Amino acid sequence: MISSFFSSSGALSKRLPHFIARDAQVEMAEAVADTIKSKQQLVVEAETGTGKTFAYLAPALLSFDKAVSPKIIISTGSKALQEQLFVKDLPLLVEAADFSGSVTLLKGRGNYLCNERLNRFMLESKHKDKALQIELVKIKNWSLSTKTGDIAEIDDLAEDAFIIPAITSSNDNCLGRECPSFDDCFIVKARKKAMESDLVVINHHLFFADLAVKETGFGELMPEAGVYIFDEAHQLPDIASVYFGESLSSRQLTELAKEIDFVYRTELREAKQMAKAAEQLRLTVLDFRLAFAMDKGTGSWRDKSRERVMQLHVQRLQQVMSFLTEVITDRLGKSEVLDHCFERLTQFTLLFKKLNSVNETGFSYWFDCTKQHFSLNITPLSVADRFQVECQKKEASWIFTSATLSVKGQFDHFTQLLGLQNSRCLQLNSPFDYAKQTLFVVPRLIPEPGTPGLADKLIEELAPVIRAGKGRCFFLCTSHAMMNQLAAGFRQVLTFPVLLQGEKSKQALLDEFVSHGNALLVATGSFWEGVDVRGQVLSCVIIDKIPFSSPDEPLLKARMEDAQLKGKDPFAEVQLPQAVITFKQGVGRLIRAEQDKGVLIVCDTRLVTRKYGNLFLNSLPCMPRTRSLDNAIAFLKNID
């Protein structure tokens, strides 16, 4: 059934005139179909070009029987892929597979407009910035016509726009059924539709948020399913760690103080002491942030909390929260909003106490500071047992897929992190001809990472390569500092457009990169994965160095310490496999289609001088290798 669906005369080829059946795609689709039928676990690494999206969607849709089968949940690692699946891929497959069920897209709470918070923010902002007023009126007008309330529909609203937290709700500030706008709530409508649908497209964050909500006994965000499919599954272990942990942020505390002050100004004008106590909380949280004595960064809360100065601030915050609790207790029952604030304050007080009990083993206690805010976090070092319990609770099929799950052909790193003990593992190679389509360069004359003046040397050596390729280049960095230095330097020596991550939204930068046709994009983090630029508009990918996470990153540091206590090699067991998977993601940006050609340059001589370099090299497709940048220039000049 599956092979005929993907055949040259099958249902798919009738809707895609240029469809070509790929052996690896059919093999994956058959494995997915078998897993769904047997209710087992399947882990599939499908390299770029396999067509994995169709390979898991088709068998999921074809196997669905409403009379006997529960629902299908498809989870992705990013909103971009989530929307691509729902808008582009699913409609085509639904038609080709003659799928009779209903399909819906469900995002996290923060993606939907909250009418109540919008109205309140408009009231609070009445006498503020005129530009803000214009933006709010635009959002209000949109809110009257939208059917979904998905803020992605709002034109020219950046993903990280300052206004978004003010017009959306969080678990903390949502009033639930007590909200005056509950009957018109977009998130309630979206979740109700998801509960009634046969196939729901979500993302990994929402999947784990749903588990967390079920644990508290407050119901569920999405339906139970018989088939769970995770695309971009390499992200799951770290996302699971966050959701199986707990966190308290200065934003939550200052937002709470703001809400209590709002109650004072609008409902309980006689409660002046309450307003003063709320203001005291806000000021104490600001002082707490300053006590970290750093501009931004992360670190061990276990270590930091032992400092005498920090202990004084912890005691002060505990006292202020305790006093505010006393003041609010006298006014319970007089305001629904205040009653809700009291519940949150109680929850935050207990959580703050837990975050300061830093001696429990098996967890990482860490802090994260931005310029204005901080968060305290407790994160489990392993989610394997916890995740496996969830898998065993449900009589369901579990499919995990990504282009990067293995390290040198082995899946142990991924399966052990999630506790997948009895899963079938399948590795499918890309159909692309890397031997003809690519050239891989580790330049000779580049100094090792950390060498003073490295950015200037990279600019000097690589500017001629970028010129030879007529721009059309991604320069992927492992730090913001290097990214900013390189962008500034290349803007001085190149005549091509030089785009820099952070100056515009991710999608706006990609659109500009493609429209220019000769640009250099210098980026970090988010551009290493989930970016699909096809054709020769991207002909060169340069990586500044092997993407080892900083050993000072709190969760990684804690996992490495834990490995050491167990008698394992922390570098080999924890840091190295993670770097290989990230590295493969970056490399995967280069070749996205059968006709693509391009050069991969990795400016890190450790790939050839260190023993562990072979682990990276052996995890890559079979690409011709050279140490000469002249060869790279010659290859790029031959690309149309």
Side-chain angles (χ1 to χ4, degrees), residues 9 35 94 210 304 326 365 431 433 469 570:
S9 58
T35 303
V94 162
D210 182 57
K304 192 76 176 174
E326 285 178 31
Y365 291 83
D433 189 347

Side-chain angles (χ1 to χ4, degrees), residues 47 440 583-584 587 600 615-623:
E47 290 184 355
F440 176 31
F583 183 65
K584 288 167 68 178
V587 171
L600 169 69
L615 192 62
F616 292 89
L617 298 175
N618 294 334
S619 293
L620 294 180
C622 190
M623 308 164 84

Side-chain angles (χ1 to χ4, degrees), residues 390-406:
E390 292 303 327
C391 291
Q392 289 164 0
K393 274 184 192 175
K394 304 168 173 66
E395 192 183 342
S397 312
W398 298 80
I399 292 118
F400 306 88
T401 185
S402 169
T404 54
L405 290 175
S406 72

Side-chain angles (χ1 to χ4, degrees), residues 197-446:
S197 295
D198 299 306
L199 186 151
V200 186
V201 181
I202 62 166
N203 58 56
H204 303 338
H205 289 276
L206 188 56
F207 174 81
F208 289 108
D210 182 57
L211 295 185
V213 167
K214 283 173 183 167
E215 272 199 344
T216 62
F218 282 103
E220 54 192 351
L221 313 180
M222 60 193 195
E224 290 292 315
V227 178
Y228 291 87
I229 300 174
F230 297 90
D231 200 344
E232 297 176 321
H234 62 280
Q235 298 179 11
L236 284 173
D238 283 347
I239 295 174
S241 292
V242 171
Y243 278 90
F244 291 159
E246 293 180 276
S247 176
L248 180 65
S249 71
S250 57
R251 285 182 189 275
Q252 289 172 293
L253 294 168
T254 51
E255 176 76 22
L256 176 63
K258 191 176 168 185
E259 296 261 327
I260 294 168
D261 183 64
F262 178 79
V263 172
Y264 160 69
R265 288 185 288 106
T266 57
E267 296 183 62
L268 303 176
R269 290 294 299 173
E270 79 286 356
K272 199 164 186 180
Q273 188 185 30
M274 181 182 77
K276 285 184 176 177
E279 175 64 5
Q280 196 61 53
L281 173 63
R282 189 184 71 82
L283 294 173
T284 304
V285 168
L286 285 175
D287 288 342
F288 200 103
R289 168 63 189 90
L290 292 172
F292 283 98
M294 63 194 306
D295 187 37
K296 59 181 178 179
T298 61
S300 166
W301 177 238
R302 192 175 260 140
D303 296 339
K304 192 76 176 174
S305 66
R306 293 191 180 110
E307 294 177 7
R308 179 63 184 152
V309 172
M310 215 73 218
Q311 287 176 354
L312 292 172
H313 282 279
V314 167
Q315 289 168 12
R316 175 64 179 152
L317 185 51
Q318 286 172 332
Q319 289 167 357
V320 169
M321 291 168 81
S322 176
F323 179 64
L324 184 56
T325 303
E326 285 178 31
V327 173
I328 294 178
T329 303
D330 295 337
R331 293 166 177 82
L332 290 177
K334 294 183 179 181
S335 160
E336 286 183 355
V337 176
L338 187 62
D339 290 354
H340 188 69
C341 288
F342 179 77
E343 290 173 11
R344 284 159 62 194
L345 180 57
T346 304
Q347 177 195 343
F348 293 164
T349 303
L350 291 170
L351 181 51
F352 189 60
K353 184 179 179 182
K354 184 175 181 179
L355 286 159
N356 283 288
S357 304
V358 295
N359 295 321
E360 192 171 346
T361 57
F363 292 89
S364 170
Y365 291 83
W366 55 285
F367 66 85
D368 181 34
C369 288
T370 61
K371 283 194 173 180
Q372 294 180 313
H373 293 281
F374 70 86
S375 67
L376 304 180
N377 310 271
I378 175 172
T379 305
L381 300 184
S382 170
V383 298
D385 294 341
R386 181 78 174 68
F387 189 80
Q388 200 44 231
V389 166
E390 292 303 327
C391 291
Q392 289 164 0
K393 274 184 192 175
K394 304 168 173 66
E395 192 183 342
S397 312
W398 298 80
I399 292 118
F400 306 88
T401 185
S402 169
T404 54
L405 290 175
S406 72
V407 178
K408 203 178 175 183
Q410 301 297 312
F411 289 84
D412 299 7
H413 178 69
F414 176 76
T415 55
Q416 287 171 11
L417 284 174
L418 287 184
L420 305 176
Q421 296 163 351
N422 301 311
S423 55
R424 176 187 173 190
C425 295
L426 180 64
Q427 186 174 25
L428 299 168
N429 295 326
S430 172
F432 299 152
D433 189 347
Y434 283 93
K436 290 182 179 176
Q437 291 177 251
T438 64
L439 181 68
F440 176 31
V441 190
V442 180
R444 272 200 188 89
L445 301 175
I446 304 292

